[in-house]
C-alpha cells in the first residue's frame, strides 16, 4: 500500500455474518476442517465468549449438524473478531489507506447490482461495460436460491438475502449476533429481538453502514 509505484486500492466485500454462518453450516462437510483451523487460530490470550446455550454441541445433533455445526458457529467468533479490527482501521484510516479502501455489502450488490457495480468501478476509475451490467443483473435475477454449496449460479436476490432467516434456528442467530455485534453495527446489519423479527421477511434488517 505504501509502494509509490503502485496505485493499489482495497475493495472489501462483506456479508451479513448470520448469512455467512448459515453458508458455513450448509457447507459443513466441505468446511469442517477449515472451521477447526479457524477456531484453533484464535489468540489464546483473548477471553473466549461462551456459547449462549451450553448444550448446543449436543443439541445440534438433533438437527443433523452435530459437532460440525458447533465448529462452524465457533469459527464465527474468530472471523468476526478479525473483521472488527479491519473495519475499525477503515473507520479511522491511516494516511496510506485514506481514499484507497471501499467496503461493499453483498446485500447491496444483489439488491442494486447496477448502481453498486458502478460505484465499485468508479472507485477504481474504470467504466462499467454494458455487458458487465447485463451479467450482474442476470446473476441477481435467477429463478431461485441454490441449496448446493460452492455453486456459482444466477440467484433470486430476495431469496438469497433471506435464506439464513429460515435456515438458522433463533438460538444460532443470537449466537452469531453475540460474536459479531461489533462488525454488524459498523456495517448496518440490525440484530433481531425475537423469533417474530426473524420470520418477518418484510423487514430487511439493513440500515445505512457507518463506513
Amino acid at each position: 500500500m505504501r509502494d509509490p509505484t503502485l496505485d493499489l486500492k482495497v475493495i472489501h466485500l462483506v456479508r451479513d455474518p448470520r448469512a455467512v454462518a448459515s453458508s458455513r453450516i450448509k457447507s459443513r462437510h466441505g468446511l469442517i476442517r477449515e472451521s477447526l483451523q479457524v477456531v484453533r487460530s484464535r489468540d489464546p490470550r483473548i477471553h473466549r465468549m461462551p456459547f449462549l446455550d451450553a448444550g448446543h454441541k449436543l443439541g445440534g445433533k438433533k438437527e443433523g449438524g452435530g459437532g460440525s455445526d458447533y465448529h462452524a458457529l465457533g469459527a464465527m467468533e474468530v472471523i468476526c473478531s478479525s473483521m472488527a479490527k479491519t473495519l475499525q482501521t477503515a473507520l479511522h484510516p491511516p494516511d496510506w489507506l485514506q481514499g484507497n479502501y471501499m467496503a461493499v455489502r453483498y446485500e447491496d450488490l444483489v439488491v442494486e447490482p447496477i448502481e453498486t457495480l458502478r460505484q465499485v468501478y468508479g472507485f477504481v476509475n474504470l467504466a462499467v461495460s454494458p455487458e458487465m451490467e447485463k451479467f450482474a443483473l442476470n446473476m441477481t435475477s435467477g429463478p431461485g436460491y441454490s441449496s448446493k454449496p460452492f455453486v456459482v449460479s444466477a440467484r433470486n436476490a430476495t431469496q438469497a438475502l433471506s435464506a439464513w432467516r429460515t435456515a438458522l434456528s433463533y438460538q444460532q442467530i443470537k449466537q452469531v449476533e453475540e460474536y459479531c455485534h461489533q462488525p454488524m453495527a459498523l456495517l448496518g446489519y440490525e440484530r433481531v429481538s425475537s423469533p417474530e423479527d426473524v420470520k418477518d421477511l418484510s423487514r430487511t434488517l439493513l440500515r445505512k453502514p457507518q463506513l
Side-chain angles (χ1 to χ4, degrees):
M1 293 294 292
R2 292 187 173 94
D3 189 335
T5 65
L6 297 176
D7 184 16
L8 183 63
K9 295 182 182 292
V10 176
I11 299 174
H12 185 188
L13 180 64
V14 297
R15 191 177 184 183
D16 190 322
R18 295 163 295 194
V20 175
S22 178
S23 180
R24 294 183 74 88
I25 289 174
K26 184 172 69 174
S27 312
R28 58 172 66 94
H29 299 299
L31 289 178
I32 187 168
R33 288 185 178 179
E34 192 269 351
S35 292
L36 280 167
Q37 289 175 340
V38 171
V39 171
R40 290 167 180 166
S41 72
R42 67 181 302 277
D43 190 336
R45 296 170 297 180
I46 299 176
H47 174 68
R48 184 165 191 177
M49 299 172 64
F51 267 88
L52 297 177
D53 177 6
H56 173 79
K57 187 172 183 178
L58 295 177
K61 293 181 179 179
K62 297 178 182 178
E63 300 175 5
S68 57
D69 283 15
Y70 175 83
H71 293 305
L73 287 178
M76 294 306 299
E77 179 185 12
V78 183
I79 291 169
C80 284
S81 175
S82 176
M83 184 185 293
K85 292 178 182 177
T86 298
L87 295 175
Q88 283 295 337
T89 301
L91 197 61
H92 306 286
D95 292 342
W96 52 267
L97 193 60
Q98 289 183 14
N100 294 321
Y101 173 92
M102 180 184 190
V104 180
R105 293 193 304 190
Y106 167 84
E107 292 77 11
D108 296 330
L109 189 59
V110 299
V111 172
E112 298 178 328
I114 303 301
E115 179 181 342
T116 306
L117 196 65
R118 287 174 178 172
Q119 290 174 353
V120 171
Y121 270 64
F123 174 67
V124 294
N125 300 315
L126 294 174
V128 187
S129 68
E131 292 79 10
M132 181 58 73
E133 289 187 353
K134 182 178 179 181
F135 172 78
L137 194 61
N138 288 341
M139 288 297 287
T140 55
S141 305
Y145 181 70
S146 175
S147 60
K148 297 180 180 180
F150 311 118
V151 173
V152 179
S153 61
R155 299 182 177 185
N156 178 283
T158 303
Q159 292 187 33
L161 295 188
S162 60
W164 65 266
R165 298 170 77 166
T166 56
L168 296 180
S169 69
Y170 182 65
Q171 193 69 30
Q172 289 173 324
I173 291 170
K174 297 306 292 182
Q175 184 68 62
V176 176
E177 290 180 348
E178 185 73 10
Y179 285 156
C180 305
H181 61 93
Q182 289 182 322
M184 286 179 64
L186 291 173
L187 294 171
Y189 296 119
E190 293 185 7
R191 301 172 71 172
V192 298
S193 57
S194 68
E196 288 70 31
D197 276 350
V198 179
K199 296 176 183 177
D200 183 5
L201 300 184
S202 65
R203 288 190 58 196
T204 63
L205 300 176
L206 290 173
R207 54 179 171 76
K208 187 176 180 180
Q210 295 183 36
L211 292 173

